[in-house]
Amino acid sequence: MNREQLEYFRQKLETMSQDLLQEAEKTIHEMTDSTENYPDPTDRASAESDRSFELRIRDRERKLLAKIREAIERIDEGTYGICDECGDEISAKRLEARPVTTQCIECKTHQENQERAQKGL
């Protein structure tokens, strides 16, 4: 992968990271600024369910942030875009779709097929 491509993916990853952090900040403000009082137990339960769902989304995004940081580290180390399993280059098309990936499409497909087979047992 050439320097221009690496810089493109670095920018893409940094933008993703900034977007996720902004969403997390927004969620924190919304949850701490909330002074809503729900006298109806059904309304309160619905609000709690919404809050729980929001927190699960933010937890998934927190995990994605860690993967983004790891991908940026791989760019710095010169290993970005190389499959952890087989050592081949990961296609630019795959990296465009999932910039944090560590496996080429063939290795990821193989892994998913093995997982399915194990669940089927």
Side-chain angles (χ1 to χ4, degrees):
M1 189 170 291
N2 66 40
R3 186 178 301 271
E4 188 176 296
Q5 289 172 313
L6 289 172
E7 190 55 37
Y8 167 79
F9 284 112
R10 178 188 300 278
Q11 281 300 120
K12 185 176 183 86
L13 289 161
E14 288 175 355
T15 299
M16 287 173 63
S17 177
Q18 290 170 359
D19 291 346
L20 291 172
L21 290 171
Q22 287 174 353
E23 282 298 313
E25 186 76 23
K26 182 177 144 188
T27 299
I28 289 169
H29 285 302
E30 287 174 358
M31 287 186 171
T32 57
D33 290 345
S34 178
T35 58
E36 299 164 342
N37 186 7
Y38 299 104
D40 181 28
T42 306
D43 290 342
R44 191 174 321 124
S46 179
E48 286 300 316
S49 176
D50 290 347
R51 180 179 287 223
S52 176
F53 180 70
E54 186 79 23
L55 290 172
R56 282 195 314 269
I57 289 172
R58 295 299 163 242
D59 187 52
R60 290 187 71 187
E61 290 174 348
R62 178 187 57 80
K63 292 174 185 174
L64 180 56
L65 275 170
K67 289 180 181 182
I68 290 170
R69 286 187 203 106
E70 290 169 5
I72 292 172
E73 286 175 17
R74 288 194 308 274
I75 289 173
D76 294 339
E77 295 166 355
T79 59
Y80 183 77
I82 298 172
C83 179
D84 285 351
E85 296 296 315
C86 68
D88 288 345
E89 262 195 46
I90 300 171
S91 73
K93 188 175 180 180
R94 174 147 171 79
L95 289 170
E96 185 68 37
R98 182 123 174 103
V100 297
T101 192
T102 59
Q103 294 179 316
C104 67
I105 193 68
E106 292 82 15
C107 290
K108 185 63 177 175
T109 301
H110 179 71
Q111 177 194 21
E112 289 173 351
N113 288 339
Q114 284 183 324
E115 288 172 3
R116 271 191 226 107
Q118 287 177 349
K119 287 180 182 178
L121 294 176

